[in-house]
Amino acid sequence: MSNAIISQVSKNLPFRYRITCHQLTEKPSGLFELPVACRLPALSEFDGPKSFGDIRIGWLEDGLYVSLMVTGKKQSLWCRETQLHESDGLQLWVDTRATHNVHRASKFCHWMMILPTGGGNSNDAPIARTLKINRSKDDSPMINKAKIEVKSVVNKDGYQISAFIGGVGLYGWNTTEHRQLGFNFAIVDRELGWQTLALGPELPIAEDPSLWQTLLLT
C-alpha cells in the first residue's frame, strides 16, 4: 500500500468513540445555548480540519436538545428549502438502538437536516426536515412525523441555532431501557467546509450506521 493511500485513511476510522450526553437540569426555551459540559468534542480535528462550530447536545425524557454556534464566516449564508443537501446548516443522524454492526440503516435510524435560514415567505426562517436514508432496509415510521422545533439568529460572522428533537418523533426512543444512541453530525458550509464528529464525507457517513459513534445518555 502506497503512502498516498495511507494518508487518505482517517485516523478515526479504527475507533468508535463513546461520548457522554448529559441530562439537563431544566427544559431550555427560546434561543438557548446549552452548558459547556454539553459540548461535543472536535474529534475530526485529528485529521486536520479546524473546527468552526461549537455544537452541544443534552437530553431530557421528552427528547434531545441541540445548540450550535458557527463563527468565522465572511460570506453570506446559502440556504435553500428546495436544495437541502447543498445548503449551509447542521445534519444529524440518530440510531435509537445504537446498532453499529450493520451497514444499512434500520427503522430506528433517523437523518435530520436543520438550516438557520431559507424558510418562510421571506426565506429568513429556519428549516428542520427529516430525510430518507439512502439504502435503508426500513424507513423510520416517523420520517414524516418527526417533531423538530428550531430557532435561529444570523450574526455578522455566522449564526446560532437551537433545536429540540422530540422523542415522540424518534422511533424507538426509550431512555429507560436504551441509554445508548448511535450518533453522528455534520456542519456543512460552502465557505468553511465540513465539520464532523469523527469521520468525514469521504466515507458514506450519511447512510452507514457502522460509521457513527455512540452517545451515552447519563
Side-chain angles (χ1 to χ4, degrees):
M1 182 178 291
S2 69
N3 291 334
I5 294 176
I6 293 174
S7 65
Q8 295 174 9
V9 178
S10 169
K11 296 181 178 65
N12 288 312
L13 187 57
F15 305 101
R16 181 176 300 122
Y17 296 97
R18 193 180 186 199
I19 301 162
T20 298
C21 179
H22 294 282
Q23 185 173 18
L24 303 175
T25 57
E26 60 182 359
K27 183 176 181 178
S29 61
L31 185 68
F32 58 81
E33 182 178 15
L34 295 178
V36 174
C38 296
R39 179 182 292 150
L40 291 171
L43 301 172
S44 61
E45 289 189 346
F46 290 142
D47 287 325
K50 181 176 174 56
S51 298
F52 53 84
D54 181 328
I55 179 169
R56 307 178 186 189
I57 188 166
W59 72 282
L60 287 171
E61 294 294 339
D62 60 349
L64 294 169
Y65 293 82
V66 180
S67 67
L68 170 65
M69 178 76 75
V70 169
T71 56
K73 287 187 61 60
K74 296 180 181 179
Q75 301 175 11
S76 299
L77 282 167
W78 197 93
C79 301
R80 302 289 188 273
E81 192 164 14
T82 56
Q83 294 175 270
L84 296 175
H85 295 80
E86 290 78 35
S87 295
D88 298 335
L90 174 65
Q91 300 185 38
L92 298 171
W93 294 267
V94 175
D95 176 4
T96 56
R97 288 298 179 269
T99 306
H100 293 296
N101 60 353
V102 297
H103 297 285
R104 295 175 61 188
S106 72
K107 60 185 177 182
F108 299 104
C109 297
H110 310 77
W111 180 17
M112 292 150 282
M113 196 168 292
I114 302 171
L115 310 183
T117 64
N121 295 331
S122 301
N123 296 322
D124 58 356
I127 298 171
R129 296 284 185 274
T130 55
L131 303 177
K132 174 181 171 63
I133 298 177
N134 187 38
R135 297 179 60 251
S136 61
K137 293 185 296 184
D138 299 292
D139 293 333
S140 168
M142 309 306 295
I143 190 168
N144 295 316
K145 303 176 183 179
K147 180 181 179 182
I148 305 175
E149 300 173 7
V150 58
K151 295 184 181 299
S152 70
V153 62
V154 178
N155 306 310
K156 62 180 181 179
D157 68 339
Y159 60 89
Q160 181 180 353
I161 285 175
S162 59
F164 165 66
I165 304 167
V168 294
L170 294 172
Y171 185 74
W173 176 263
N174 186 328
T175 59
T176 301
E177 298 182 6
H178 300 280
R179 286 294 186 96
Q180 295 189 76
L181 306 175
F183 180 77
N184 192 34
F185 77 79
I187 308 169
V188 180
D189 191 278
R190 287 191 165 205
E191 175 190 358
L192 302 175
W194 281 61
Q195 177 184 330
T196 59
L197 179 56
L199 302 173
E202 68 278 2
L203 294 168
I205 58 174
E207 62 185 50
D208 187 345
S210 72
L211 299 175
W212 304 349
Q213 310 307 314
T214 301
L215 203 63
L216 178 63
L217 305 183
T218 63

